[in-house]
Amino acid sequence: MTRRAGVRLWRWRRNPLRRTSDVVEAWILLVAWVLAVACGVLAGVLTAGAMQQAAERVRAGTRSVPAVVTQEATRGAVRPVGGALGWGTVRWTDANGSAHTSRTRVPVSATPGDHVTVWTNGQGTLVPPPASSADIAFQTTLAGLWAGTTSAGVVIGGAKLARTRLDRRRFAQWDDEWARVDTPWGWKTG
């Protein structure tokens, strides 16, 4: 275990073969991992919080209203999602007492005169039902994970780019050093 840790931390120890670029690379890796974790957590938490607030605003802006089916639900040419809903016409009264009629998804088994619940926004327009608490929790968690992973990936990708440039620089230095060593010996490698 101690030997393995020593091998991994070779860039931090004093060593006659250690180059300045090795120390720079060690610092880049350390900063990149710290930033990746910090940025990933921060982006995930902020994204999840923003999605939670947006979902709560949508939920607060909608309300359930009792409605009466005025026309049977039609299945249409395409099977509806879940097989239990179809497009039907409903009539409802908003908070101002105004009667409205519109088409919405209703159970296929609903007949004219049946009572259903529909959702409206502040203007009395039909809207889809708001997401449940479980759906909101799932969506915010997933969005937070995606945002965190993406931001951490960007940081790690930037560190990889910096390491690639350091490697190119080291290879160029190596070529120059070999050219100086080979010339006095009287032969060229490669």
Side-chain angles (χ1 to χ4, degrees):
M1 178 90 174
T2 309
R3 178 158 170 73
R4 186 178 292 166
V7 169
R8 288 185 184 155
L9 300 175
W10 71 271
R11 289 179 181 94
W12 297 101
R13 294 183 305 186
R14 294 202 181 273
N15 183 338
L17 298 177
R18 184 183 70 179
R19 299 166 291 207
T20 304
S21 62
D22 294 330
V23 176
V24 170
E25 182 179 10
W27 278 106
I28 287 172
L29 288 173
L30 178 66
V31 169
W33 281 107
V34 169
L35 278 177
V37 170
C39 290
V41 169
L42 183 64
V45 168
L46 290 177
T47 300
M51 287 201 56
Q52 181 75 28
Q53 288 176 351
E56 292 301 326
R57 275 195 307 271
V58 167
R59 186 174 259 206
T62 59
R63 64 184 195 97
S64 62
V65 177
V68 177
V69 176
T70 59
Q71 181 183 3
E72 283 184 4
T74 58
R75 284 186 180 257
V78 182
R79 181 174 171 238
V81 177
L85 296 176
W87 288 98
T89 305
V90 295
R91 185 181 65 244
W92 74 97
T93 306
D94 64 13
N96 300 335
S98 302
H100 298 277
T101 303
S102 184
R103 291 184 59 79
T104 189
R105 304 285 296 221
V106 296
V108 175
S109 60
T111 58
D114 286 351
H115 292 276
V116 294
T117 301
V118 295
W119 294 85
T120 61
N121 61 12
Q123 292 80 30
T125 307
L126 288 180
V127 294
S132 68
S133 297
D135 287 341
I136 291 172
F138 175 74
Q139 291 171 0
T140 56
T141 301
L142 189 63
L145 286 173
W146 275 108
T149 302
T150 301
S151 64
V154 167
V155 171
I156 297 299
K160 178 66 175 164
L161 179 65
R163 288 181 67 196
T164 301
R165 289 188 176 188
L166 278 174
D167 284 342
R168 286 183 185 162
R169 183 175 164 206
R170 282 189 283 235
F171 290 145
Q173 287 174 345
W174 224 13
D175 287 342
D176 292 342
E177 291 171 8
W178 272 114
R180 280 184 291 189
V181 169
D182 284 349
T183 304
W185 289 347
W187 50 278
K188 292 277 190 186
T189 59

